[in-house]
Amino acid sequence: MTTAGGGWTLVASVHENSIYGRCTVGDRWSSQQGNNANLPDGDGNWSNRNTFGAAEGATSDDFKNPGYYEIRAEDMSVWHVPNNFPLEHWNLAAILRYHTENHFLRLYGGNLFQMFSQYPVRYNVGSPGNRGPAIPIVYDHGDKESTKMLYGPKPRGEFEPGFITFRAINNERAAMAICSGVKPVRGYNTEHYCIGGGGYFYTDQCGDFPSFDWDRLGREQGWSASKEMTEAAVLLFYR
Amino acid sequence: MTTAGGGWTLVASVHENSIYGRCTVGDRWSSQQGNNANLPDGDGNWSNRNTFGAAEGATSDDFKNPGYYEIRAEDMSVWHVPNNFPLEHWNLAAILRYHTENHFLRLYGGNLFQMFSQYPVRYNVGSPGNRGPAIPIVYDHGDKESTKMLYGPKPRGEFEPGFITFRAINNERAAMAICSGVKPVRGYNTEHYCIGGGGYFYTDQCGDFPSFDWDRLGREQGWSASKEMTEAAVLLFYR
Amino acid sequence: MTTAGGGWTLVASVHENSIYGRCTVGDRWSSQQGNNANLPDGDGNWSNRNTFGAAEGATSDDFKNPGYYEIRAEDMSVWHVPNNFPLEHWNLAAILRYHTENHFLRLYGGNLFQMFSQYPVRYNVGSPGNRGPAIPIVYDHGDKESTKMLYGPKPRGEFEPGFITFRAINNERAAMAICSGVKPVRGYNTEHYCIGGGGYFYTDQCGDFPSFDWDRLGREQGWSASKEMTEAAVLLFYR
């Protein structure tokens, strides 16, 4: 396991290998089985002991090590690193880096594996707008304003930056695992700004970055996230 | 490699990630290439040196380590462990545990890799009802009656419990690798109670647990296996 | 990492798991996302730090270790080993073995990762017939004539044997990574004799061995490569 200064340990990365794939090969953090309501949990990797990838390749493919479910941690750090940057440049290249400081993981079993057993990442598990905890963050690189600008113009009206939110439910009852840097407060079209998920979404939205490309006209228009966000892996650290 | 008491070494697990998938991603013990008669061996992992997964995740995804083809063993043990249970609870959680005692692997080259080079897991390699050896088992948890009840009502008339059977051919000449806990004796619709396979099956039956869900009306009806069996990984140990 | 005599280190293998698959699961050296012009780089594994597989399984599945991008090498060796042969027989079983001696990698950053950042393996990145360097080879097993005979009768008129060529562009602007043993000199239907690639090819040609089976009538007819070539993994070593 890789420690990134200050005692942080990398336990996972969420990498979107193809924004065009709809729960296809490589969508390990949602489903690789196609959009299927019969598989509400999808691949289930938020809540199982499966592991994959290598730390050195964490910006080139999905990654999950045993630390994800074994470590008993207190806080989380999240780095958004443009795809394919090597480990030695993650810090410098990141478009966003932040961490929590309130030891929230103590309340939820000490890691995301435990957190998501309480808040399952599963289609139709809750009502639209329902969510797990939203934890305030401290920025190491970037700020609330830059976080906001990394998502599309329309989502900006739906969330409040400065938080990491867990297990958000959207209007079609699809579940997402993490809203990185933001807390959904209205509208709840979370598929445009939250990542990971269960196995079923509204048509054409299933995937690790579910519907970051909704407005195909171009990046950062309408609901579509910026090119920067879409092409950056989300690295998850524990401490 | 993981040793599970009594000198047993875990070498593989067969995990059905989606009973709805028909030889799709995750069907490493049959085929990930769709149902295709041009690929009679499917992924071929019963007979090659490919490895995948991790022991700790053996109930969450397919697993195969070099021991599968390297170890020269005498006997096998099989545990059916409900998906996602952690290693420390495999023993307790298993719905079925049994092993062989007659050192049969000595006759077949010392491991399954060698066994399956003699009995290829390949579509159309033999006649309906043809099979490799059926070895008597000793139960560590469960018995012949409970084994029987884990499969659907209709298969119960086709097999005799108390054995592990290798490379069974069904009526449509599809090959399966292991009939776990049972010996096919008539009818030979083995796709409902044997696991793993080549790359081609009758329509809608291709997969690691080929047709355990044939009667979609519900589990444990008609040909369909019980929910317990369908949602348990099959762990293979050598000694 | 595995050293194969004379200081060679195995860093990768390109294994065609299904010549029928068209950029499907297992096509890690081209694309696992289907043929898609929106993904010109495909899986991108020639140019990223993702790793997969194990050296012992290099003839049974794709393999790539950190040496691929970390080692600073001078020369390359390539072995074509029939699928599924174990490590101890690779040398004996290989249908073709050769290496470079002119230290060409010094000019291109010391490894293929660096080479392909200069010559991206990407659809539509260059004109038909365009290519990267073609390096003369010294044969350890086989010769120019046997190299020629391993490909189909029609390709034989398009290439000159005795070279390893990097990043060849075909007539439809698809990019291939390596022309193993040959240099394209006319015609440029390189999809029949070069391997690896980006994410988009002409209909029905996308894959790790892109169109080695074009003339379905049988192996080694028209444009189709020999059965030997089609069913051999391509092992890449550095020194």
Side-chain angles (χ1 to χ4, degrees):
Chain A
M1 295 163 216
T2 303
T3 300
W8 294 103
T9 302
L10 177 69
V11 298
S13 80
V14 183
H15 171 265
E16 178 54 76
N17 63 317
S18 164
I19 196 70
Y20 303 99
R22 295 283 162 241
C23 282
T24 54
V25 187
D27 283 330
R28 295 180 194 82
W29 292 110
S30 48
S31 177
Q32 300 184 99
Q33 297 293 326
N35 199 30
N36 188 345
N38 288 320
L39 289 172
D41 294 276
D43 275 25
N45 285 318
W46 294 102
S47 305
N48 69 22
R49 289 174 183 79
N50 191 16
T51 53
F52 37 81
E56 286 75 11
T59 59
S60 298
D61 204 355
D62 291 333
F63 169 63
K64 182 184 171 194
N65 71 17
Y68 177 85
Y69 58 83
E70 273 181 7
I71 293 174
R72 295 188 74 82
E74 299 185 330
D75 281 299
M76 270 188 71
S77 179
V78 180
W79 292 14
H80 294 250
V81 182
N83 288 337
N84 297 327
F85 268 98
L87 198 150
E88 64 267 30
H89 294 148
W90 288 353
N91 193 320
L92 188 64
I95 55 173
L96 207 56
R97 286 184 284 116
Y98 60 78
H99 64 278
T100 67
E101 289 200 335
N102 65 358
H103 304 342
F104 77 105
L105 280 173
R106 281 194 201 162
L107 301 177
Y108 301 99
N111 55 51
L112 292 181
F113 176 86
Q114 295 295 339
M115 159 80 83
F116 290 123
S117 71
Q118 291 175 47
Y119 294 94
V121 185
R122 180 182 298 149
Y123 170 64
N124 206 19
V125 77
S127 310
N130 180 304
R131 61 167 172 81
I135 311 298
I137 54 176
V138 176
Y139 283 96
D140 299 300
H141 177 72
D143 54 27
K144 289 185 185 184
E145 189 56 23
S146 70
T147 298
K148 212 167 143 175
M149 300 310 286
L150 287 167
Y151 296 103
K154 288 189 184 169
R156 285 171 208 159
E158 293 201 353
F159 61 67
E160 187 181 336
F163 295 86
I164 178 167
T165 305
F166 298 94
R167 217 288 309 276
I169 310 283
N170 74 3
N171 289 313
E172 295 87 13
R173 294 175 185 267
M176 274 131 274
I178 291 180
C179 306
S180 191
V182 305
K183 175 170 70 173
V185 290
R186 69 184 71 83
Y188 307 113
N189 296 291
T190 57
E191 67 276 16
H192 306 302
Y193 48 95
C194 302
I195 63 172
Y200 188 64
F201 285 74
Y202 183 73
T203 306
D204 245 14
Q205 301 192 333
C206 200
D208 281 357
F209 287 10
S211 187
F212 276 40
D213 64 334
W214 184 247
D215 286 286
R216 294 296 177 89
L217 10 157
R219 308 288 190 208
E220 215 181 325
Q221 300 194 34
W223 292 102
S224 292
S226 65
K227 178 178 161 66
E228 285 68 30
M229 206 58 164
T230 307
E231 299 177 0
V234 182
L235 275 53
L236 309 179
F237 301 84
Y238 290 162
R239 175 164 74 179
Chain B
M1 294 163 218
T2 304
T3 300
W8 293 103
T9 302
L10 177 69
V11 298
S13 80
V14 183
H15 171 265
E16 178 55 77
N17 63 317
S18 164
I19 197 70
Y20 304 99
R22 295 285 162 240
C23 282
T24 55
V25 186
D27 283 330
R28 295 180 194 81
W29 292 111
S30 48
S31 177
Q32 300 184 100
Q33 297 293 325
N35 199 30
N36 188 344
N38 288 321
L39 290 171
D41 293 276
D43 275 25
N45 285 318
W46 295 102
S47 306
N48 68 22
R49 289 173 183 78
N50 191 16
T51 53
F52 37 82
E56 286 74 10
T59 59
S60 298
D61 204 355
D62 291 333
F63 168 64
K64 182 184 171 193
N65 71 18
Y68 177 85
Y69 59 83
E70 274 181 6
I71 293 175
R72 296 188 72 83
E74 299 185 330
D75 281 299
M76 270 188 71
S77 179
V78 180
W79 293 14
H80 293 251
V81 181
N83 288 337
N84 297 327
F85 268 97
L87 198 150
E88 64 267 31
H89 294 148
W90 289 352
N91 193 320
L92 188 63
I95 55 173
L96 207 57
R97 286 184 285 116
Y98 60 78
H99 64 278
T100 67
E101 290 201 335
N102 65 358
H103 304 342
F104 77 104
L105 280 173
R106 281 195 201 162
L107 301 177
Y108 301 99
N111 55 50
L112 292 181
F113 176 86
Q114 296 295 338
M115 159 80 82
F116 290 122
S117 71
Q118 291 176 46
Y119 294 94
V121 185
R122 179 182 298 148
Y123 170 64
N124 206 19
V125 77
S127 310
N130 180 304
R131 61 167 172 81
I135 311 298
I137 54 176
V138 176
Y139 283 96
D140 299 299
H141 177 72
D143 54 27
K144 289 185 184 184
E145 189 55 24
S146 70
T147 298
K148 211 167 144 176
M149 300 310 286
L150 287 167
Y151 295 103
K154 287 190 185 168
R156 285 172 208 159
E158 293 201 353
F159 61 67
E160 187 180 336
F163 296 85
I164 179 167
T165 305
F166 298 94
R167 217 288 309 276
I169 309 283
N170 74 3
N171 288 314
E172 295 87 13
R173 294 176 185 265
M176 274 132 275
I178 291 180
C179 306
S180 191
V182 304
K183 176 170 70 174
V185 290
R186 69 183 72 82
Y188 306 113
N189 296 291
T190 57
E191 67 276 17
H192 306 301
Y193 48 95
C194 303
I195 62 171
Y200 188 64
F201 284 75
Y202 183 73
T203 305
D204 245 15
Q205 301 192 333
C206 200
D208 281 357
F209 287 9
S211 187
F212 276 40
D213 64 333
W214 184 247
D215 285 286
R216 294 297 177 89
L217 9 158
R219 307 290 190 207
E220 216 181 325
Q221 300 192 34
W223 292 102
S224 292
S226 65
K227 178 178 162 64
E228 285 68 29
M229 205 60 164
T230 307
E231 299 178 0
V234 182
L235 275 53
L236 309 179
F237 301 84
Y238 290 163
R239 176 164 73 180
Chain C
M1 294 163 218
T2 303
T3 300
W8 293 103
T9 302
L10 177 69
V11 298
S13 79
V14 183
H15 171 265
E16 178 54 77
N17 63 316
S18 165
I19 197 69
Y20 304 99
R22 295 284 162 241
C23 282
T24 55
V25 186
D27 283 331
R28 294 180 194 81
W29 292 110
S30 48
S31 177
Q32 300 184 100
Q33 297 293 326
N35 199 30
N36 188 345
N38 288 320
L39 290 171
D41 294 276
D43 275 25
N45 285 318
W46 294 102
S47 306
N48 69 22
R49 289 173 183 79
N50 191 16
T51 53
F52 37 82
E56 286 75 11
T59 59
S60 298
D61 204 355
D62 291 333
F63 168 64
K64 181 184 172 194
N65 71 18
Y68 177 85
Y69 58 83
E70 274 181 6
I71 294 175
R72 295 188 73 83
E74 299 185 329
D75 282 299
M76 270 188 71
S77 179
V78 180
W79 293 13
H80 294 250
V81 182
N83 288 337
N84 297 327
F85 268 98
L87 198 150
E88 64 267 31
H89 294 148
W90 288 353
N91 194 320
L92 188 64
I95 55 174
L96 207 57
R97 286 185 285 116
Y98 60 78
H99 65 278
T100 67
E101 289 201 335
N102 65 358
H103 305 341
F104 77 104
L105 280 172
R106 281 195 201 163
L107 301 177
Y108 300 99
N111 55 50
L112 292 181
F113 176 85
Q114 296 294 340
M115 158 81 82
F116 290 122
S117 71
Q118 292 176 47
Y119 294 94
V121 184
R122 180 182 298 148
Y123 170 64
N124 206 20
V125 77
S127 310
N130 180 304
R131 61 168 172 80
I135 311 298
I137 54 177
V138 176
Y139 283 96
D140 299 300
H141 177 73
D143 54 27
K144 289 185 184 184
E145 189 56 24
S146 70
T147 298
K148 211 167 145 176
M149 300 310 286
L150 287 167
Y151 295 103
K154 288 189 184 168
R156 285 171 209 160
E158 293 201 352
F159 61 67
E160 187 181 336
F163 296 85
I164 178 167
T165 305
F166 298 94
R167 218 288 309 277
I169 310 283
N170 74 3
N171 289 314
E172 295 87 13
R173 294 176 184 266
M176 274 131 275
I178 290 180
C179 306
S180 192
V182 305
K183 176 170 70 173
V185 290
R186 69 184 71 83
Y188 306 113
N189 296 290
T190 57
E191 67 275 17
H192 306 301
Y193 48 95
C194 302
I195 63 171
Y200 188 64
F201 285 74
Y202 183 73
T203 305
D204 244 15
Q205 301 191 333
C206 200
D208 281 357
F209 287 10
S211 187
F212 276 40
D213 64 334
W214 184 247
D215 285 286
R216 295 297 177 88
L217 9 158
R219 307 290 189 208
E220 216 181 324
Q221 300 193 34
W223 292 102
S224 291
S226 65
K227 178 178 162 66
E228 285 68 29
M229 206 58 164
T230 307
E231 299 177 0
V234 182
L235 275 53
L236 309 179
F237 301 83
Y238 290 163
R239 175 165 73 180

